[in-house]
């Protein structure tokens, strides 16, 4: 039976940390759906359509290399409902540190209450990308710092476009 995974996140922007989780999740499933969460009142830096376009581009090599079908979509409601809509039996989440652990396990357990048939699989962040957080990438970019170590080129371009020229320091 083909196994589908659902990996939800903001991906605002997608980082090498997310890509590490995506590449490793692709070893566990036959099809991977990446859900870009768009929630009312929580507007991100990069528009959802642009996040999708970047995710599609940067995950293409993983799909080609592994043969796993990777689909990128948005979702606005409950993660478990989105997972079910895409016939996913597993939800994928990444764990960087103890605060991720506390939050993610709690959320995973509540999701298990809502949808006992869907299993959340937690992948521990890889050492090389463990420190990367989209929120910090955005802070660094806003202050004109170099983010090339943390996110792929297409995501850098999306961040730059979203921040616009005015965000760059003039000195
Ligand atoms: P959210 O707004 O849902 O936290 P994110 O895009 O920040 O969305 O993260 C989505 C998922 O990816 C979460 O499970 C998060 O813990 C995981 N994640 C984020 N950054 C990393 C990283 N550097 N390494 C491993 N997992 C990560």
């Amino acid at each position: 039976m083909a196994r589908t995974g659902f990996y939800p996140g903001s991906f605002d922007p997608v980082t090498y940390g997310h890509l590490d989780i995506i590449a490793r999740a692709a070893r566990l499933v036959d099809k991977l759906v990446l859900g870009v969460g768009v929630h009312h009142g929580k507007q991100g830096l990069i528009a959802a359509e642009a996040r999708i376009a970047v995710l599609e581009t940067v995950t293409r090599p993983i799909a080609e290399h592994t043969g796993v079908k990777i689909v990128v979509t948005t979702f606005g409601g409950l993660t478990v409902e989105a997972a079910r809509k895409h016939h996913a039996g597993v939800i994928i989440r990444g764990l960087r540190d103890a605060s991720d652990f506390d939050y993610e396990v709690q959320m995973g357990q509540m999701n298990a209450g809502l949808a006992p048939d869907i299993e959340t699989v937690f992948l521990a962040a890889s050492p090389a990308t463990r420190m990367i957080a989209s929120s910090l990438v955005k802070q660094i970019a806003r202050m004109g710092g170099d983010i090339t170590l943390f996110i792929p080129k297409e995501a850098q371009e999306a961040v730059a476009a979203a921040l616009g020229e005015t965000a760059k320091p003039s000195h």
Side-chain angles (χ1 to χ4, degrees), residues 74-156:
T74 56
F75 75 103
L78 290 172
T79 299
V80 288
E81 277 177 8
R84 193 166 276 144
K85 184 180 152 200
H86 292 281
H87 308 288
V90 286
I91 292 171
I92 308 283
R93 295 291 285 179
L95 295 179
R96 284 165 291 190
D97 54 19
S99 66
D100 266 2
F101 179 88
D102 288 345
Y103 174 69
E104 296 285 347
V105 170
Q106 182 185 17
M107 201 164 58
Q109 288 171 343
M110 292 190 76
N111 280 338
L114 293 173
D117 52 320
I118 300 176
E119 194 65 49
T120 301
V121 172
F122 304 102
L123 296 177
S126 294
T129 49
R130 195 189 134 164
M131 72 299 186
I132 305 173
S134 295
S135 55
L136 292 177
V137 166
K138 283 182 277 194
Q139 276 189 39
I140 294 168
R142 281 197 185 97
M143 294 180 212
D146 182 4
I147 53 173
T148 55
L149 274 180
F150 312 127
I151 66 173
K153 183 169 69 63
E154 293 81 358
Q156 291 164 36

Side-chain angles (χ1 to χ4, degrees), residues 27-47:
R27 295 196 208 125
L28 307 176
V29 296
D30 306 294
K31 177 179 170 185
L32 186 61
V33 180
L34 308 178
V36 175
V38 284
H39 294 104
H40 194 65
K42 192 185 163 195
Q43 220 208 318
L45 172 68
I46 304 167

